[in-house]
Amino acid sequence: METEAASMNAILEMRGISKSFGPVKALSDVTFSVKPGEIHAICGENGAGKSTLMKVLSGVYPAGTYEGQIIYEGVERRFRAIGDSEALGIIIIHQELALIPLLSAAENIFLAHPPGRFGVIDRDSVWQRAKAVMRKVGLDDSPDTLITNMGVGKRQLVEIAKALSKNVKLLILDEPTASLNERDSAALLDLLLEFKAQGLSSILISHKLNEISRVADRITILRDGRSVETIDCHAEPASEDHIIRAMVDRDLEHRYPEHTPKIGDLLMEVSDWTVHHPIHTDRTVIHGVDFHVRAGEIVGIAGLMGAGRTEFAMSLFGRSYGRRISGEVQIKGRRVDVSTVQRAIKAGLAYVTEDRKELGLHLADDLRHNITLANLGGISHLRVLDGIRELRVANDYRRRMNIRCSGVDQESGNLSGGNQQKVVLSKWLFTSPDVLFLDEPTRGIDVGAKYEIYCIIQELADSGHGVVVISSEMPELLGLCDRICVMNEGRFVGEFTREEASQERIMQAIMRDVRSVPDEIPAMPQGSERAAETVGP
């Protein structure tokens, strides 16, 4: 627990914070502090109260809606709105990005405080200042680039640049690297360390324990809405096992469940698959690739951001991405039509998007409707929806997937990230796919929920499905997959069995294949990705 000595000379103290939503107690007597120039990490399972605590601090949940005290720069503060905390230099970057897709990066960065004189925006200044702050976070794109033409990772960097453009004294980052590959994550962590050297205080919320151990000065662990321990990383080593044990109140002997694969016959084969960019149709994104999956096999696709992994999966799933697509898909030895989402589902394909909050779920709708949405025919009789059958199906998946909720009528947006992911998986499993593509299936999910997702993936493979896992976390691919294919610049450049694969060999395959090309593959337009979830039933 936080001690009085640990909170001395703190820029921030939160004392005895409690917050309830009706009968549910989200926070209970949470206390912690942040020192000047410190990186203070907050860990906990999904639903432990991390984001709620930060929303209390930033004024999203205003004074009067919670119990306890916020002491900032030695003065008790009662923030009525997020503008009050921002005026004092407390800037929060939420896990859900708050960008306007059809505005440029520069316009988004300075939307609330554009530079100008006499009420007239100085667009040259906007461009120059945006360029400078984008360079700080490693973005080389033009400030005029529309957000809709940026991938998820780059949008996260724009959000961070937006925060840095303000007069920040205490920077709060809620899962800032969840959408980033290893290289960009490392660059962001280096940036935090640079800010620390300049005296800036940061609060880092992350499920990536290796990142936390690398940069954090202290780590506060929340469990079930309570602060259970604060670790001083300079006084004692913060091992991942120690953190996990405090988070989940149990030991995880193995991060990945033991599994003996039962690989059968060839299930899906993709031949000479070529995809062109949906806007710049003269540019090839996927270059005549061949790919296959066997029954009972878990196949990983590794690669850096922009390698074409998501574009490949989405183009297969009803041509949800790309133009001028050519090639052949066979499932169980039979050529199939995957030219629309409905036909792809009928052929036996399913695709779980990397962005569950925006594209995978209707957050304002309940679990029951979300689970059955992609297969309404499965709960219908003579084209009339059967509410009793729908309820039975939803409750069946709730039990099978161990979805923690008050009931299938609960709003999906009120679930933790891990439980939301289980709902998305349930939706696509209800379509009875032969091959399931999982795009970043554990992004933004804590270690306990990850383990459950891994078990579900292995059960799917054991039941004869083919599973394709796209992940930016190499340890995840190495710990989970039977075979790993490496993608770079729209081509498969390497393939390794579980025994052959290592992080070094995967990176060597990528580096060996670096080619001299005039431009990088353009980012996938947001609208194209959305089609994967909205065109279907």
Side-chain angles (χ1 to χ4, degrees):
M1 296 290 291
E2 188 80 40
T3 65
E4 183 177 350
S7 64
M8 290 177 62
N9 302 317
I11 186 175
L12 169 73
E13 295 179 65
M14 299 186 76
R15 302 174 180 171
I17 303 295
S18 297
K19 169 71 178 173
S20 297
F21 297 94
V24 179
K25 194 129 189 175
L27 298 172
S28 182
D29 196 29
V30 174
T31 295
F32 89 111
S33 67
V34 180
K35 299 175 183 178
E38 176 184 51
I39 299 176
H40 195 129
I42 299 181
C43 294
E45 292 189 275
N46 284 104
K50 306 182 298 296
S51 295
T52 301
L53 183 65
M54 293 302 100
K55 289 177 180 178
V56 167
L57 170 58
S58 61
V60 173
Y61 298 138
T65 65
Y66 61 86
E67 300 172 3
Q69 293 179 296
I70 297 174
I71 311 297
Y72 179 68
E73 295 185 320
V75 179
E76 182 174 357
R77 311 289 182 174
R78 297 180 60 81
F79 300 130
R80 296 167 297 176
I82 195 167
D84 294 348
S85 61
E86 286 192 349
L88 295 176
I90 301 175
I91 309 297
I92 183 170
I93 301 173
H94 295 284
Q95 189 174 353
E96 298 84 11
L97 303 184
L99 300 173
I100 300 175
L102 295 180
L103 291 182
S104 69
E107 289 167 333
N108 271 279
I109 290 170
F110 290 102
L111 186 64
H113 55 292
R117 296 182 63 190
F118 309 116
V120 178
I121 296 174
D122 184 345
R123 293 194 173 273
D124 287 340
S125 179
V126 168
W127 196 95
Q128 293 293 341
R129 290 171 60 180
K131 184 68 175 177
V133 75
M134 288 170 67
R135 191 179 293 116
K136 275 190 173 183
V137 298
L139 267 177
D140 295 326
D141 300 61
S142 168
D144 293 327
T145 305
L146 297 182
I147 296 299
T148 191
N149 292 333
M150 289 184 166
V152 175
K154 288 188 175 182
R155 279 181 259 158
Q156 175 68 76
L157 293 177
V158 171
E159 188 71 75
I160 295 170
K162 178 180 172 183
L164 297 181
S165 70
K166 302 173 184 178
N167 184 26
V168 59
K169 297 179 181 177
L170 176 61
L171 182 62
I172 305 167
L173 303 105
D174 191 351
E175 299 290 352
T177 64
S179 302
L180 306 183
N181 60 28
E182 291 185 10
R183 181 184 60 188
D184 291 337
S185 296
L188 176 59
L189 297 178
D190 288 340
L191 189 62
L192 284 182
L193 291 171
E194 182 181 328
F195 292 157
K196 171 187 170 182
Q198 298 169 4
L200 178 66
S201 303
S202 301
I203 298 174
L204 175 63
I205 300 173
S206 178
H207 290 121
K208 298 182 179 180
L209 302 185
N210 60 323
E211 295 182 354
I212 287 173
S213 300
R214 177 187 164 194
V215 301
D217 296 294
R218 287 188 296 157
I219 303 170
T220 291
I221 300 166
L222 300 185
R223 185 174 69 237
D224 299 327
R226 298 177 181 273
S227 46
V228 296
E229 185 176 1
T230 293
I231 303 171
D232 185 341
C233 300
H234 300 293
E236 58 180 306
S239 70
E240 292 188 13
D241 288 342
H242 181 170
I243 297 170
I244 292 169
R245 188 163 52 250
M247 283 172 56
V248 302
D249 196 25
R250 63 184 185 277
D251 289 318
L252 292 179
E253 294 182 2
H254 304 286
R255 201 72 59 84
Y256 302 96
E258 296 290 336
H259 183 238
T260 302
K262 303 171 184 176
I263 299 174
D265 297 332
L266 185 64
L267 184 59
M268 183 184 80
E269 186 173 18
V270 180
S271 304
D272 197 24
W273 196 253
T274 298
V275 181
H276 291 81
H277 193 274
I279 298 174
H280 309 286
T281 55
D282 60 332
R283 187 165 293 177
T284 306
V285 179
I286 305 297
H287 300 262
V289 304
D290 298 327
F291 180 75
H292 70 275
V293 183
R294 294 184 175 276
E297 185 179 31
I298 304 173
V299 181
I301 301 182
L304 304 177
M305 184 180 297
R309 298 167 301 165
T310 293
E311 291 83 349
F312 171 64
M314 289 184 60
S315 64
L316 284 172
F317 187 63
R319 303 192 176 188
S320 302
Y321 172 89
R323 295 282 183 89
R324 295 170 55 197
I325 298 173
S326 61
E328 181 177 295
V329 180
Q330 291 189 11
I331 295 181
K332 296 181 178 177
R334 179 176 57 87
R335 184 173 181 175
V336 295
D337 180 1
V338 294
S339 59
T340 68
V341 170
Q342 291 90 339
R343 290 171 182 170
I345 292 173
K346 186 176 180 181
L349 293 183
Y351 171 72
V352 176
T353 176
E354 63 180 331
D355 190 349
R356 64 178 173 270
K357 288 183 178 293
E358 185 174 349
L359 306 173
L361 291 170
H362 289 284
L363 294 176
D365 208 345
D366 59 32
L367 276 71
R368 177 181 53 178
H369 293 146
N370 270 291
I371 288 172
T372 58
L373 185 61
N375 184 19
L376 295 179
I379 55 166
S380 302
H381 179 66
L382 300 177
R383 302 180 70 85
V384 177
L385 295 179
D386 184 337
I388 299 299
R389 187 184 301 179
E390 180 182 47
L391 188 63
R392 188 181 304 120
V393 167
N395 274 311
D396 181 46
Y397 275 101
R398 176 195 174 189
R399 288 189 294 270
R400 286 170 55 188
M401 305 292 277
N402 192 27
I403 301 172
R404 297 179 180 87
C405 59
S406 59
V408 294
D409 290 326
Q410 182 176 346
E411 194 173 284
S412 299
N414 293 331
L415 297 176
S416 68
N419 287 304
Q420 286 181 352
Q421 189 72 347
K422 292 178 186 178
V423 174
V424 179
L425 283 169
S426 299
K427 177 178 72 172
W428 290 112
L429 291 180
F430 185 47
T431 67
S432 301
D434 293 308
V435 180
L436 180 65
F437 281 81
L438 303 174
D439 199 348
E440 304 289 359
T442 62
R443 173 172 288 166
I445 294 176
D446 64 74
V447 289
K450 279 185 177 183
Y451 191 90
E452 291 184 302
I453 297 293
Y454 298 149
C455 290
I456 291 168
I457 291 172
Q458 292 179 350
E459 288 170 8
L460 288 172
D462 289 342
S463 63
H465 294 79
V467 184
V468 181
V469 178
I470 299 170
S471 178
S472 298
E473 297 185 32
M474 284 197 201
E476 180 170 81
L477 294 175
L478 294 169
L480 187 63
C481 299
D482 305 310
R483 180 165 54 93
I484 298 175
C485 298
V486 184
M487 187 170 248
N488 189 45
E489 296 178 357
R491 299 174 174 87
F492 285 112
V493 298
E495 179 176 317
F496 304 99
T497 64
R498 176 190 290 269
E499 294 74 23
E500 296 170 339
S502 68
Q503 294 197 42
E504 292 77 14
R505 298 191 72 177
I506 290 171
M507 287 306 301
Q508 286 171 359
I510 294 172
M511 293 299 103
R512 279 198 308 265
D513 191 69
V514 173
R515 293 173 167 82
S516 296
V517 291
D519 294 296
E520 65 175 5
I521 296 172
M524 179 177 55
Q526 188 179 22
S528 299
E529 189 175 30
R530 191 187 308 279
E533 295 291 340
T534 58
V535 175

